[in-house]
Every structure is written in C-alpha cells, then in structure tokens.
Amino acid sequence: MSETAASPVLEPRESARLVRRVPLTAPTWRWEPSERWVRGWIDDLAVVDSRRPILVWEPEAKVPEYGFPLADVRTDLLTPGEPPAAEYYRPKGAARRWFDLIVGDRRIPAAAWAWDLDELDGFLAVTWYPGVLDGWTEEEDRVFAHPRDPRNRVDALPSTRHVVVRAGERVLAESRHPVIVYETGLPARYYLPAEDVDWSQLQEIDGWSECPYKGEASRYWATADRSDREIAWSYPAPLPVIAPVAGRIAFYSEHVEVTVDGVAVGNPRPARR
C-alpha cells in the first residue's frame, strides 16, 4: 500500500436495521450496578466500604463516578460543607449538597456530595480527585484518578507502521516500530522507541498525569524553542496492561503533525497547557 495516497474511509449505509453504535456519552443520566468491592481510605481507615456500589454517568460524561449507598459511607464523619474552591473532575453540574470529612484532627473539605437528582437519593459520591482521600482500592488493587469503566478497553499492540512526527517542516521523530495504544473512545496513540526521537529538538518540562488504566505519566516534553507547548509524554513504569509502552514516547496528534503510513492522524490545533 502506498504511503502517499490515503485510502477513503468506507462506511455502511445506515437503515432501520443498521445504525452506528451508541456513543460513549449520552445526553441523559445513566447508571449500572457494580459487583466490585470498593473502599476509600484515610490512612488505614476505610471511610467508604461498599460491595454494592453503582456507577453513575452524568449527561455527556465519558467517565463514571461511583455512587455509594449511605450505609456504606462513614456518614458519621461527614459534616455539611461548601463546594470545592478548585475545579473538580466531577460533578460536572452543581451538586445538591457538599460534605467535609473529619477524621481525627484532619478536616478534608468537599470530600463528598449528593447529586442534584431525586432518583439518586440514598446515594453519595465521594471524590476521587487526586490528593483528597489517601487512596482507593477495587478489591485489593489500588485505583486512582477516577473509577474504571467496565466497558472501557485498552490494548497496547506492537506494530510495524511507519510513524513520522513533524512540527512544521522539522521531523521530531520517525519510527517503524511503534506500540499503538487503542483505548475506547480516545484517539490511537503511537508510542515510539526513544532512539527514534530527535532529542536535539525537544526539551523536558514539568508535567504529570495519571490514568486508572495506564498508570502515571511522569515525563513530558516541549519543542526546544517553545517550553509552553507541551507535545509529548512517557510512562516510565506503566500498569501491566500497557507494559510494552514503558519508556517510549508518545506525541499529541492534536498539537503536532503525526502521519501513519503517510496519512495524517488526529486533529492538529494550538497546544494549551
């Protein structure tokens, strides 16, 4: 197949019998039960301990939040509070009530909330925002950032596709040995060997993020002439599901031009830190 001629995208003709799969987001509230044993911790105290949580998606939200029956939350440690001063991942809309969590001499603001939805009366959400609670576990596995969606899949597949990364006319990286990460609802990401990156054109910058499926991305880069233009990242020690990407470098196809077998991928646009 030529790398200079893009194959046309083929789509079937939709009808009453064939429609495209429902998107990951929806305009309505959604929920489903979970059988996972979920606990939220302050030191070694489980302030949430539930074997019957539900997963709740707010309208247009891809990522769920756990809803816990009141009896599974240490409500005796909660006191009415104010909304968080910082922008939290969730809730996306206004909450009906916020609660602070008091454990010993620690007061943790905006640790829990009640949704502003009558149908969810009897359930509380307890925030997974980093640094609020000390940790979360599903069964005995530490989970962070946000609850895992049971219908989300992440695959890390070695490939021989030809990947080229450019910033304008400059080639930042070129490889025929990527590992491609396919994650439900997100664009494919191409993780390249470090030796296939032109490091003279990059500078390392402060950056950190976490993902409950992939782990902690603790290394970030910008172009050598634009420290404010974050374009690449790496997982030095990823979770086992994407172990093949350890130490490899991925570039934002939204921020720089990434071509795969001669075809541009992603949607380049100016980067924002």
Side-chain angles (χ1 to χ4, degrees), residues 98-110:
W98 281 95
F99 300 93
D100 294 351
L101 177 65
I102 300 177
V103 180
D105 59 357
R106 291 178 63 181
R107 185 183 185 108
I108 302 169

Side-chain angles (χ1 to χ4, degrees), residues 1-7 159-164 166 175-176 178 180 182 190 258-265:
M1 181 181 69
S2 169
E3 291 191 1
T4 59
S7 300
S159 177
T160 56
R161 294 201 193 203
H162 183 201
V163 179
V164 181
R166 294 182 176 88
S175 181
R176 292 184 182 271
I180 308 174
Y182 296 100
Y190 302 85
V258 178
T259 60
V260 180
D261 294 336
V263 179
V265 299

Side-chain angles (χ1 to χ4, degrees), residues 9-263:
V9 176
L10 299 179
E11 295 185 353
R13 179 171 55 85
E14 294 194 13
S15 68
R17 294 188 300 173
L18 178 65
V19 297
R20 187 164 181 167
R21 186 179 178 184
V22 174
L24 294 174
T25 60
T28 58
W29 290 81
R30 295 168 295 157
W31 78 279
E32 66 177 58
S34 174
E35 296 181 354
R36 301 188 183 199
W37 180 19
V38 180
R39 286 168 291 176
W41 301 91
I42 296 296
D43 294 325
D44 58 355
L45 174 67
V47 295
V48 178
D49 188 335
S50 184
R51 292 172 171 83
R52 51 178 181 166
I54 63 172
L55 287 162
V56 177
W57 287 262
E58 294 182 74
E60 305 300 341
K62 177 181 182 295
V63 173
E65 191 70 53
Y66 274 122
F68 300 105
L70 293 174
D72 296 347
V73 180
R74 288 290 304 270
T75 54
D76 59 307
L77 303 178
L78 298 179
T79 188
E82 298 296 323
E87 182 181 354
Y88 273 28
Y89 292 161
R90 283 167 300 281
K92 294 171 67 68
R96 181 172 294 175
R97 290 184 298 276
W98 281 95
F99 300 93
D100 294 351
L101 177 65
I102 300 177
V103 180
D105 59 357
R106 291 178 63 181
R107 185 183 185 108
I108 302 169
W113 73 86
W115 283 286
D116 193 16
L117 190 70
D118 291 346
E119 292 84 348
L120 288 172
D121 284 351
F123 292 90
L124 281 179
V126 181
T127 186
W128 287 52
Y129 193 85
V132 181
L133 266 63
D134 293 340
W136 285 94
T137 52
E138 293 179 346
E139 303 301 333
E140 301 302 326
D141 189 30
R142 175 177 173 263
V143 184
F144 43 82
H146 59 76
R148 294 168 174 160
D149 184 336
R151 305 187 193 284
N152 197 88
R153 183 181 178 94
V154 182
D155 295 303
L157 305 181
S159 177
T160 56
R161 294 201 193 203
H162 183 201
V163 179
V164 181
V165 181
R166 294 182 176 88
E169 299 299 319
R170 297 172 295 163
V171 175
L172 304 181
E174 182 172 1
S175 181
R176 292 184 182 271
H177 304 284
V179 171
I180 308 174
V181 172
Y182 296 100
E183 181 174 348
T184 305
L186 296 179
R189 298 299 191 187
Y190 302 85
Y191 286 77
L192 311 182
E195 58 267 26
D196 291 345
V197 176
D198 183 354
W199 294 106
S200 69
Q201 301 198 61
L202 300 180
Q203 60 174 313
E204 190 159 3
I205 59 176
D206 290 336
W208 176 88
S209 64
E210 61 182 7
C211 169
Y213 310 107
K214 300 187 288 291
E216 297 180 359
S218 57
R219 300 191 70 185
Y220 279 80
W221 292 268
T223 53
D225 59 341
R226 289 282 306 277
S227 62
D228 64 328
R229 190 170 181 265
E230 178 184 285
I231 64 167
W233 73 94
S234 180
Y235 288 89
L239 294 178
V241 69
I242 63 159
V245 310
R248 287 171 170 259
I249 316 304
F251 290 83
Y252 287 107
S253 55
E254 300 90 340
H255 298 176
V256 293
E257 179 185 308
V258 178
T259 60
V260 180
D261 294 336
V263 179

